[in-house]
Structure formats: C-alpha cells, structure tokens
Amino acid sequence: MNSHIEPVDLKKAYRLINHGPTVLVSARHGGIDNVMAAAWACGLDFAPPKLTVVLDKTAKTRELVEKSGSFMIQVPTVAQLQLTHEVGTHSRFTEPDKLVNAGVQLFSVEGHDLPFVAGCSAWLACRLMVEPGNQEKYDLFIGEVVGAWADTRVFNNGHWNFERADPAWRSLHYIAGGHFYAIGDALSVDEGSKS
Amino acid sequence: MNSHIEPVDLKKAYRLINHGPTVLVSARHGGIDNVMAAAWACGLDFAPPKLTVVLDKTAKTRELVEKSGSFMIQVPTVAQLQLTHEVGTHSRFTEPDKLVNAGVQLFSVEGHDLPFVAGCSAWLACRLMVEPGNQEKYDLFIGEVVGAWADTRVFNNGHWNFERADPAWRSLHYIAGGHFYAIGDALSVDEGSKS
C-alpha cells in the first residue's frame, strides 16, 4: 500500500462513488483473483454504507463473489483508461492471463482477504449481502461497505479534489464501445441563495 | 415538447445514464406531480432496458411512484444546477409549492401520463417492476424503460456530444452538501491497440 493511501471514515464512504464513476470490481476465492470493470455500480445506503453492482452471469468475478461472499469496488483513474477497458472487455474464463495482460497490479490490506487494484483513487471493501432473488433475476448484488480507503492526492478530508489534482486522477464514466468521459469541473450551489 | 427533443432507440437508452449522472425523478398520481433529485440511479439491463433508483421513505415522489406504478428519470444539466439542488433538498410534504419555488416547468408527451421536466438533456419513462422486498428493505425501485428521448443539441444518433455542446448542457454528478461535478472531457480507447 503506497504511503498516500489512507482510510476513509465509513460515514463518508458513499462519497467515493456518489458521482457515478465506472468502477473496477475485484474478488478472490480458492487462490484465484479477478478484476472486471462495471459501469453499473451505485450507492444504496449511508449508514451502514451499502452499494449495488450488476454482475453478469458470464463474469468470472461474479463466481468469485458468490463463493467468497466479499468483493472490492474501486475507482479507476484516467491514467487507467486502457486497463479499465481491457478488464471490462476480456474474460478470465477464456483468457487466464487476463490480469497480467491488462497490466493489473494487486496489493493487500491487512485484515481484508481481497485483491486491491493498485493505482486507483479509492477502494471500498464489501461484504456480500446475499439476496438470491436479486442475484438470479436481475444480476444485482448488494454489498455492505466494511472498509474504505482513498489516495489522498485526490480525495482528502472527506472531499474529492479533482479540480486541484493532476487530471490523470480524474474518474472515468463509461458510455459504450470505447467511449468514456472523465469527471469535469467542480460546481457549488449557494445553499442560502433561496429559502 | 421543444423541437430539439427526439425519441431515442430503446436499445441505446442505457447510454443516457451510463455515465452515472445525478438524475431528476418525477411522478404523477391523483392530480399531484412531484420531482426530486437522486444521485443513486443506475442501469440494470440492456434489453429490455431496466434501471434502479433509490427512493427514501420520506420522499413524496416515492408515494406517487408506488401509487401510479410509473415514473420518469431525466438527466438535468449544468444550467439546472440550482433547480436540481432545490428539488433534492426540499420536500413537497412540507412545501406544497416546491415545484413552482424551484422553477420547475413540466411538459407532456402523448401516450405517457407522466410529468416531463423541461430543460433536461434526456428523459426515460419507466414502468415500475414491483418488488416489495427491495422497496421496503432497501428503498430500491426497479423500472423498465418504456420510452426514451433526448435533446439533440447534446445527444444525437445514439451518442452524447458533451465535448461539442455548450458547457451548460453537461450532466451533473453530485457528491455531498452543495458540491457537484460536471461531466468532463471525452476519452476514447483504441480498441485495437492490444489484443
């Protein structure tokens, strides 16, 4: 774990994905790690923090999530554009060396038997809240966030600093094909301007 | 409906929210319309297109969705920053004139008995897929998208054109408090660069 990564208060963990970034989902079971990209991940609750993620039945990562009961959600950066697209379009079922080929490097955090993807801006360790109906009918998985971390060069004191950090730290927002957008300018509402 | 608004092929409707924008949720029942903001809306399936949205038990809009079995999801713009924040922080339960006070203007589309919010960039008409367990336990609502439209000044031929449109058309991505980000630069992956 690089020296810039610090834990995020679980009360503020929702802020790490509130702006709708495309995420990397990773999981570990039986000595196998995998990582995939997902555009369909979303906040679900504040306290305890929960989130949803859609995992297709064709995804090896889904199998690892179901068997291990836990997974990571992490926020990739503009610097990881190619990596994100590759882990989102290649399958470990047909390409056993997928992670090496995509240039994914993993690291560990004590107390969490999960693969953390290096170079991301934020990490959410999740415990699967098993809901067989949602999983089977909708490919919809619910996780309770049990640990959160961020790289302080872009998220500090509970706030994203995209506007002051190097643009390579910006989050990715996938549309379709090879097309993404980066997150853009900060906007603030004057909360006292109308009552 | 202004002359720039055109239907979007349902096969491409997921693209309207795939980049994780904060949305406006609207609904109508018994002569009452309401509009709220939601950061927690997300794609769920492609064909037929489905989406999820989290609606708190304190929201009047939730009551209208449950009673009518339908709702709108629409993508507000930077020009609607103040409006979006206001409908997200005020409740129609305590402020009957909420929509007028926030400057919300509604329009209709033939064949859909739903309130469409004027000035947005995209609209998704949804049929509630009733799932009492999810709604009660998680405040999680699932909708099947039965109609989609976009303003061709920013979404045309199945593609967002944020990079070429006036910046006032950019989508909003909420973090917390009065803090949002606009969507930013377009990024494209060379899909043939690595095999």
Side-chain angles (χ1 to χ4, degrees), chain B residues 120-137:
Chain B
C120 291
S121 57
W123 296 262
L124 299 155
C126 300
R127 178 182 67 79
L128 177 65
M129 299 180 70
V130 180
E131 292 279 0
N134 283 331
Q135 293 167 209
E136 196 54 37
K137 185 173 177 185

Side-chain angles (χ1 to χ4, degrees), chain B residues 20-32:
Chain B
T22 292
V23 301
L24 300 181
V25 188
S26 60
R28 168 179 294 167
H29 182 74
I32 295 178

Side-chain angles (χ1 to χ4, degrees), chain B residues 26-34 64-65 67-74 106-117 124-128 146-147 149:
Chain B
S26 60
R28 168 179 294 167
H29 182 74
I32 295 178
D33 292 333
N34 204 21
L64 302 178
V65 171
K67 288 182 174 170
S68 69
S70 62
F71 60 94
M72 292 294 305
I73 295 287
Q74 41 241 311
L106 302 172
F107 67 96
S108 299
V109 171
E110 204 177 319
H112 298 272
D113 187 20
L114 283 161
F116 287 60
V117 178
L124 299 155
C126 300
R127 178 182 67 79
L128 177 65
V146 296
W149 301 261

Side-chain angles (χ1 to χ4, degrees), chain A residues 17-25 37-44 51-55 71 73-74 124 140-141, chain B residues 18 20 39-43 52:
Chain A
I17 58 164
N18 217 55
H19 59 305
T22 292
V23 301
L24 300 181
V25 188
W40 294 347
C42 190
L44 179 66
L51 55 78
T52 56
V53 62
V54 178
L55 303 175
F71 60 96
I73 294 288
Q74 42 242 311
L124 298 155
L140 182 68
F141 290 73
Chain B
N18 217 56
W40 293 349
C42 190
T52 56

Side-chain angles (χ1 to χ4, degrees), chain B residues 61-94:
Chain B
T61 303
R62 172 179 173 144
E63 182 186 308
L64 302 178
V65 171
E66 288 179 320
K67 288 182 174 170
S68 69
S70 62
F71 60 94
M72 292 294 305
I73 295 287
Q74 41 241 311
V75 181
T77 70
V78 165
Q80 294 172 304
L81 173 65
Q82 187 75 36
L83 178 157
T84 300
H85 193 61
E86 281 200 46
V87 298
T89 51
H90 294 221
S91 174
R92 202 180 193 289
F93 279 127
T94 53

